Amino acid sequence: MSSWRLPSGGRLIERGQTLDFAFNGRPLQGLQGDTLASALLANGQMLLSRSFKYHRPRGLLGAGWEEPNAFLGLSVPRQEPNVLATTEPLVQGLHAHSQRGWPSLQWDVMAVADALHRWLPAGFYYKAFKSPAWAWPWFERALRHAAGMGQVPEKAPADAGHERRFAHADVLVVGAGLSGLWAAWALAEAGARVVLADDAPQPGGRWLDRPAGHAMDGWIALAQQALDAHPLVRRWSCTQVVAQHDHGLFVAVDRSQPGRERIWKLRARHVLLATGQIERPLLFPDNDRPGVMLAGAVSSYLQRWGVAPGRRMVLATNNDAAWTTALDAHDAGLQVLAVADLRPQVHPELLAQAQARGLSAHLGARVGGVRGRAQLRAVSLVDSDGRVQWYEADLLAVSGGWSSALALHAQAGGANRYDAQLHGMVPVGGGLVRCIGTAAGPQDTPACMDSAVQGVAQVAQALGLRLKPPPLPQAPPELGGCSALGLHVGCRGKVFVDLASDVTLDDLVLAHREGYEATEHLKRYTALGMGPDQGRTSSVHGAVLMAGLRGLDAGALGPTRLRPPYTPVPFAAIAGADPGLLIRPMRRTPITPWHEQAGAVMYESGQNWRRPGYYPRPGESMAQAVERECRACREAVGLYDSSPLGKFEVTGPDAIALLEQVYTCRVSDLKPGRGRYAVMLREDGRVFDDGTVFRLDEHRWWITTTTGQALAVHAWLESVRQVHFQGRLQVFVTPVSEQWAALVVCGPRARQLLAACGCSVPLEKVDFPFMAWRDGQLAGQAVRLFRVSFTGELSFEIHLPARRAPALWQTLAQAGASLGLEVMGSEANHVLRVEKGFISVGHEVDGCVNPLDLGLAWAVRMDKEDFIGKRSLQRDLARPQGRAQLVGLLVEAGQPPLEEGAQILREGLDLASARAAPLASAGFVTASVWSPSLGRAVALALLEDGRERHGQNVRVTAAATKGLSLRSATVVAPVFVDSEGGRMRV
Amino acid sequence: MLQLPCPFCGPRSEHEFVCTGEFSERPTQPEAMADKAWTDHLYQRRNPDAPVRELWWHQHGCRSWLQVRRDPHSQAILECQALEAAQ
C-alpha cells in the first residue's frame, strides 16, 4: 500500500469533486478527471491483475494506451470485459474487477503455472498435450479456460446510441502536442480547414507530464485559445485516429463517453502525424513486478493526476529524457534513492541537476534484480565492476528508450528504420504522410518545431496557401542522448519482453533455436506483440533482441507490420446507429403487411427481399400448407405477389438493336401487344438470367428478369449500351422494378376471378392469347395484364403502380374466396415450377450451363447475326459430348424426395472408390419436391449426356447417419405435368 | 475506401461504384476468332504490376460506366473517363 495521492497538483483532476467507485467489491474514492488506473493508484491498489500464462501478479506499467497489464472487467456503468484501466475515465458508481485470479486476485490457484514455467514455454501447445490424441479435446478445453481474458456479458446491452459522423478537411493533424498545435494553428491561419485530433482530454502532449507552470504551459494555453476561436478549426479531444485508409480516409474514435463511442470518418487532403513517441521498459529478471513502471508513466501519474505510484523510488534508464522523471519526482516529494544509467558517461548538466537535489547517480549501472511478488520491495543495482547494492524501494521507474508511434504512418505504406542514435524506430521521410514533432525522430523541442515548420510548408504549398506563421514556442534545447540496452543474456530469472502475452527472453532464444527467426514468425510463434497492447512496449525489443541473437545489426530486422485499427474499437461503435436489423434493411412490397398479417412464414430471398414462403393455417405443417396452395393453383385459382420481379422499360428507336444483342431469341418480329420468353447469356455462353420481353409499342419495350438478378441485369444492360455499343444507340434503359407491383392470378378459374372483380379487357383466348399483354381496368384500377405463366397454369400477371397494389390484392383475395382461391407463397411456386420442369436461376442455372443444356434450344436463334454468347455457344455446339443436361429424376413411388444438391454417381463406381476417383460425380440434383399432382417425389437434375439416358437407372447420394448412402432413381424427361404445355395456353 | 473522380458527379466514395475488373475490349469479329483466342479473350487477363484500365459502374450515382486507370501501388487514380463516346 505505497502509492498515494499528492496533497496538491494534478492537471486533469478536480480536487473538489469526489467520486465513489469499487474494485473487486472494495469501496474506494477517486476524483473527477481520474482514470480508473490513477484512482486505483491513489488508493494504494498496486496489484491489479494476473498475467496471461503464468498468472503472475501484475500492476501498472504505463499510464496510457501502451499499458499491457491493467485490463479489468467493468460491471457498472456498463458490462464490458478487457477495459484498459489507464484510459477509462472514472465515473460515479463505477464497479471494476480483476479478470483473472481464482479464487481471488491475491490468492490465485493458477499461479502454479508460474512454478511450472519450464514445461510451459512459448508454443508449448504445439508440442505438449498431443498424446494420447483422444484426450486433446479435454486438454483444449482446459487450456482455453485457463487462457481466457474477461467474460462476455450475458445479454447484449440496450442500444447505447452510438453515432457515426462524417467530415471533410483540408488537413488532419493527429496529436495536439507542441508540433501538432503549432501546425494546426499555422495552417488555419493560412486558410486551410483543419481538424486537430488528440486522444487526451487536454492538449499539450508530453508536456502534460511536466510540472504545471513550466515554460511551455503559457504557449500551449495561447495556442489552444487561438484554435478554439478559429472558424476553420475543429479541435477534437478524447478522439483517437485509429485507421488510415486509401485516398485520405481516416477513422477516428471519440471516446469522451466510453460506452457511447462516436466514430468519425474523415476525408482529409493532407495529414500531419504528430503522434509522438512510445517508451520501452528495461529488460532484467522479474521486470514485471507491480511497482516497476515506465518513467514517463511515473511522470504522468504525478503531473496529470497528482498520484505518486510509490514513496521510495529508484530510477533506471539508458537515456537522458528519463532523468526528468527523477528530478520531478523528487520535487513532488518522493524519496529518490538512486538514479542508475546504463551509460558510463552522461551529460554533465544531468549530473549537476541530480546533485543539486541530493540524488545519488550511478553510471554504468544496471538493474540486477528485484524482490517482492505482489509488491516491489527492493531493487538491486549492479555497477560496471559487478558490485551489487540493494535499495529498499517500492517504485522502480524504468526507461529503455523511445520509438516513434508509427502506426498511422505504417498504415499509409510509410517505411521506418532503426535509428542508431535514438536506438528506436523512426519514420523514413517522404511519401504520402508526413510525421512532425517527436514522431519524426528528434527529441528536443527546437528540432521538433523545425520538422513542424517543414511539414506545414509542404502542406501549404500543396494546397496553394500562403503562410502567416504564428509564434513558435521557445524552449531550451533538451538533451536527447540514448544508448543501447546492453542486455545480459543468460541472467537468472524470467526476463519479460512482452508482459501482455507473458513472453520471456528464454522464449525468444527458443524461437531462434527452432528457426523462427523473422520477426513475423517470432510474433506468431511466441505470441510476442499479439496481446491487446499490440506490442507497443515490446515489439521493438523483440526485433532488436532477435537481430542480436542472429548476429545482425540492431536495426536489421524491422518490427512486425502494423494494421488498422490502432486500438480496439467496440463492434457496437462500428455498427453505429444501425443496430440489429437496420444494418441490412429488408425490402418489402406494399403487400408485405398483408402477408405478415395472414400468418405467412417469411423468408429472406433474392436481393434482401422479405417474401412469404407459405401461409400455414392453424395446426398445419409446412408440407400440408404447401400442398394445399399447390392444389388450389392446379384445380381452382391461386394468387401470389410477384412484385420483386425485375422490370425494365427499354425505350428508343434503337431498342431493338440493344435487345437483339442481349437476348438469344429474336425480338424484331414481335408486334406491339406480344411478348416472348427470353434468355440472357454472358459472353461465355452461360445462362445469366431468364425472363420475358414484351413490346409495348413501336419504340417501347417491357422486359422482366428474375428477382435476384434485377440489379445485375441493370448493370449489364447499361454495360451493353455504354461499353459494347459505346453509347451510339438511341435507347434509354429505365429500371422500374420497385415502381410496379406484379400480382399473379393463376389456375383454371383465373378468368372467372378477374371477371368477378370487373375487368374491362376481354379475357378469352381468341381475344387475349398466351404471351400477349393488354391495357385495361381491373376493379376500377388501370392495369396491364400479361399472360405469362411460371406455374404452368392459365396465368395473368397484373402490373400496376406499386402504391395501388394493396387495394387490388384485397379485392382479389376477397372475390376469390368463393372460387376456392388460395394465396401462394414461394414454396408452392417452387413445387409447381419443378413439376413443369421450368428452370430457375440459382437452381438449374448455376453459372455453368448454356441454354442448350437446359433444353432451351427453341429459344436460341443461332441464325442471328450476333448476340452476346453466340461465339461461345458455337464452341459448345462443336463439342457436345459430356455436357450436363437437364433431366427429370423419379424415385420409387412412396419414397421421400431426393436431396437438393445430391450427387449422381458415375457408372462403375461405388462410394468407397468414388473418393479416389478424380471426377466421381456425373451430375447433381438441382431441385427436388413432393409433387401433389403426381402424389410422389419428383426431381430435376443436371446429368452428363442426360438426354440420351432417359429410362436408365442412376445412383444418387443421400446423407446417412455416418457419411453417405446411395439411392436409386430413374432418368426421365424433365417435365411431370402437362408436358405439351396446353394448360397455360388455354 | 477509394475516391473516384466521376467525370459527371465529381469525387465520390468507392461505395457508390461496382468494379468489374480489368477491361478487355470485345473483339469486333468473334466469329473469325479461333477457339483458343476467344477463350483467352474471355478468361485471360494480363494482371500486370502496373496501372491498368479497369471498368467501374457508378451504380449509386449517374450510372455511367467509367474506364479507370489506377496505380495498384499508390492507389492513385490516373484517369477516370466515361466510355460512352462524346456526343
Side-chain angles (χ1 to χ4, degrees), chain A residues 482-513:
Chain A
C482 182
S483 81
L485 274 184
L487 183 74
H488 290 242
V489 182
C491 42
R492 293 194 60 202
K494 290 204 198 65
V495 178
F496 281 89
V497 180
D498 182 343
L499 277 78
S501 307
D502 267 357
V503 177
T504 65
L505 185 56
D506 292 337
D507 293 325
L508 265 80
V509 172
L510 175 69
H512 174 254
R513 193 163 68 226

Side-chain angles (χ1 to χ4, degrees), chain A residues 246-247 249 267 661 683-684 711 714-715 718-719 721-724 726-727 735 866 871-872 875 879, chain B residues 1-3 13 23 26 30 33-35 38 42-43 57 59 63-65 75 77 83-85 87:
Chain A
D246 299 312
H247 293 188
L249 179 69
R267 281 254 188 223
Q661 186 68 17
E683 275 288 26
D684 62 0
L711 182 62
H714 184 201
E718 284 296 338
S719 157
R721 184 182 77 76
Q722 297 181 36
V723 181
H724 180 87
Q726 295 170 335
D866 190 20
R871 176 65 187 81
S872 297
R875 182 198 169 281
R879 284 169 237 212
Chain B
M1 279 296 120
L2 304 180
Q3 237 190 1
S13 164
F23 182 25
R26 191 175 192 263
M33 294 172 79
D35 274 354
W38 178 248
L42 282 182
Y43 297 116
W57 184 48
Q59 174 186 352
R63 297 179 185 159
S64 302
W65 279 89
Q75 301 285 43
I77 306 289
L83 267 152
E84 266 188 278
Q87 297 302 318

Side-chain angles (χ1 to χ4, degrees), chain A residues 43 155 161 211 220 253 258 278 297 339 362 480 549 679 770 802 863 867 893 950 964:
Chain A
N43 283 277
K155 50 185 196 341
I220 291 171
V253 183
I278 304 177
V339 177
H362 303 251
L549 288 168
V679 174
F770 182 57
D863 55 346
F867 59 87
H950 289 190
L964 291 173

